[in-house]
Amino acid sequence: MIKNTPPMGWNSWNTFGSDISEDLIKEVADKLVDSGLRDLGYEYVVIDDCWSMRERDGNGKLVADSEKFPHGMKALADYIHSKGLKFGMYSCAGTLTCAGYPGSYEHEFTDANTFAEWGVDFLKYDYCFKSTIIPGPVLYRRMGLALKNCGRDILLSACSWGADNTHEWIRQTGANMWRSTGDIFDSWESVRSLTEQQENKLAYGGQGCFNDMDMLVVGMYGNGNVGMENHMNDTQYRTHFSIWALMGSPLMIGCDIRNMSESAMKILSNKEVIAINQDPDCRQVMHLDTWIGNDARCYARYLANGDIALAFFNLGESGTFVRFLIDALGISLSSGKTLEMHDVWTGEVFTVKNGTFLHQLDAYDTLMYRCRVVDR
């Protein structure tokens, strides 16, 4: 599969971990449709680890847990497809998955064919219990090639956590997205750490093979499998979502959308932020130097229609003042041009004067704009 924009959807792990079932997945699929999230682009429903029996069958095939999924994976895939959604599953490049279920090591072609028979559209492929003698690139090439030859178009989501210099070799494997970080947790420290880890990887994501910063924790409020006591608030969730969107990361919801808060829904359904994430040019993000506090960051992306996505993120616990010269974006004072700034969160519109942007940025907050080049 060639995916031209970052994949969007929902994954079971962040909230439910091993506590998954056929009924749960159907309810999530129903909610994606009824809430309007599907129509905004959230199309993949992905079952993570802990879905299978502890052993393969007599033919060496993976078998779904009959208590959790009594009607089997093909029936569940058919239900999800009937909702206009796509079905995702999980396996691992090692002998076992991270939770100790059978991995796909030495069963790559068998498992790829099984997934195709079930109607799978997306495979998250983890990196636990991997071989100590076969390099990671070879393990992912195996599954990438198996999926290409299984007779079905299945997106390969490589989840090697950025280990073994993943960014240097992952595109060769046929992966469509690749994890550049360890696991996310519902804490500001986690989001800040994952953001900072992108600084030396901005050139490696892009069309066909997207840099995956891990699943979203927006709306978890400390609940679920990766919930934390010191969980984030709505301001921090908005910044988290903005960073993932601007960076071009896949947007995979991790909260329980069946009882999602109104504020979380508002964040996840912001059409203008999603449009930046899904911009067809998929340009590399620019990290711009500016007069800004040490805990803040300024990033920008050129968009397909000539607009510019520009954002300021305060990763610190105190406010800071942003001062930014738009010539860093290629707009010199002699050009006779300036920027019309549209705040994608508040709707505010203004024009930059004298080539200089000035603004106060509160703790943990974000300023995110879609900018249009206009005459001065």
Side-chain angles (χ1 to χ4, degrees):
M1 169 176 284
I2 298 297
K3 193 73 174 70
N4 291 322
T5 57
M8 297 172 61
W10 177 89
N11 180 290
S12 63
W13 184 256
N14 280 2
T15 293
F16 298 101
S18 64
D19 189 19
I20 51 177
S21 70
E22 179 179 297
D23 288 343
L24 167 67
I25 302 304
K26 286 183 175 181
E27 289 170 7
V28 168
D30 293 343
K31 189 65 175 181
L32 281 171
V33 175
D34 296 343
S35 65
L37 288 169
R38 179 199 62 185
D39 295 336
L40 292 172
Y42 295 98
E43 62 178 344
Y44 289 99
V45 180
V46 182
I47 301 172
D48 211 284
D49 205 348
C50 309
W51 60 266
S52 76
M53 301 296 287
R54 291 286 182 177
E55 295 183 4
R56 294 173 178 269
D57 68 13
N59 296 315
K61 291 187 175 183
L62 293 169
V63 181
D65 186 314
S66 58
E67 292 188 8
K68 294 179 179 179
F69 301 95
H71 295 97
M73 290 305 183
K74 178 64 168 65
L76 183 55
D78 289 345
Y79 184 86
I80 289 171
H81 292 152
S82 75
K83 296 288 182 176
L85 297 163
K86 295 180 180 179
F87 181 44
M89 293 193 68
Y90 169 98
S91 190
C92 187
T95 56
L96 299 174
T97 71
C98 297
Y101 293 81
S104 289
Y105 178 67
E106 296 288 351
H107 293 85
E108 292 86 359
F109 281 85
T110 297
D111 290 354
N113 289 337
T114 298
F115 296 141
E117 291 168 3
W118 287 345
V120 172
D121 305 295
F122 179 112
L123 178 66
K124 177 180 173 181
Y125 202 52
D126 224 327
Y127 206 42
C128 292
F129 297 98
K130 71 181 186 68
S131 170
T132 58
I133 60 173
I134 299 178
V138 175
L139 296 175
Y140 278 93
R141 284 180 208 153
R142 285 183 177 184
M143 183 53 82
L145 189 62
L147 291 176
K148 291 291 187 184
N149 287 275
C150 73
R152 185 174 178 83
D153 203 5
I154 300 177
L155 185 153
L156 176 56
S157 172
C159 185
S160 59
W161 331 309
D164 301 328
N165 298 314
T166 301
H167 59 282
E168 296 180 358
W169 49 262
I170 194 61
R171 186 175 288 269
Q172 69 186 235
T173 69
N176 307 103
M177 53 189 275
W178 59 280
R179 274 278 294 282
S180 59
T181 67
D183 290 353
I184 194 170
F185 294 91
D186 183 14
S187 74
W188 184 250
E189 291 76 15
S190 177
V191 166
R192 174 170 182 153
S193 174
L194 299 191
T195 300
E196 291 174 338
Q197 290 175 42
Q198 304 311 302
E199 294 294 337
N200 64 347
K201 298 182 178 70
L202 296 177
Y204 293 96
Q207 196 169 60
C209 193
F210 296 96
N211 179 349
D212 177 15
M213 297 171 67
D214 204 4
M215 297 161 290
L216 298 164
V217 294
V218 174
M220 293 192 65
Y221 302 108
N223 299 308
N225 193 43
V226 301
M228 302 287 285
E229 184 176 352
N230 60 332
H231 62 81
M232 294 194 290
N233 58 38
D234 287 333
T235 296
Q236 294 167 330
Y237 285 143
R238 185 173 62 244
T239 298
H240 161 41
F241 186 67
S242 299
I243 293 171
W244 266 234
L246 184 67
M247 292 285 194
S249 176
L251 301 178
M252 305 298 290
I253 299 171
C255 70
D256 185 353
I257 65 170
R258 300 172 303 170
N259 53 22
M260 185 165 46
S261 72
E262 183 178 342
S263 56
M265 178 64 184
K266 185 177 180 179
I267 291 170
L268 293 169
S269 62
N270 186 306
K271 293 181 180 179
E272 294 182 271
V273 177
I274 292 172
I276 289 171
N277 178 260
Q278 296 289 299
D279 186 76
D281 269 10
C282 300
R283 293 293 177 187
Q284 179 180 335
V285 177
M286 297 174 272
H287 181 197
L288 302 176
D289 293 325
T290 185
W291 296 307
I292 196 170
N294 291 333
D295 287 324
R297 303 288 187 275
C298 175
Y299 299 106
R301 276 176 66 188
Y302 289 162
L303 303 178
N305 70 340
D307 289 352
I308 303 169
L310 175 66
F312 304 88
F313 303 118
N314 189 350
L315 305 182
E317 59 186 18
S318 59
T320 188
F321 196 72
V322 176
R323 293 176 292 171
F324 177 70
L325 304 183
I326 64 173
D327 60 0
L329 295 170
I331 304 173
S332 64
L333 289 173
S334 62
S335 69
K337 303 292 184 180
T338 188
L339 288 179
E340 180 183 270
M341 311 276 284
H342 171 71
D343 189 316
V344 297
W345 286 111
T346 68
E348 178 187 7
V349 178
F350 61 91
T351 301
V352 174
K353 305 297 183 184
N354 302 312
T356 307
F357 172 86
L358 303 170
H359 211 293
Q360 179 68 28
L361 184 56
D362 294 336
Y364 310 118
D365 210 352
T366 181
L367 295 168
M368 191 170 184
Y369 302 95
R370 188 172 185 120
C371 311
R372 188 166 66 94
V373 179
V374 296
D375 293 333
R376 193 166 62 237

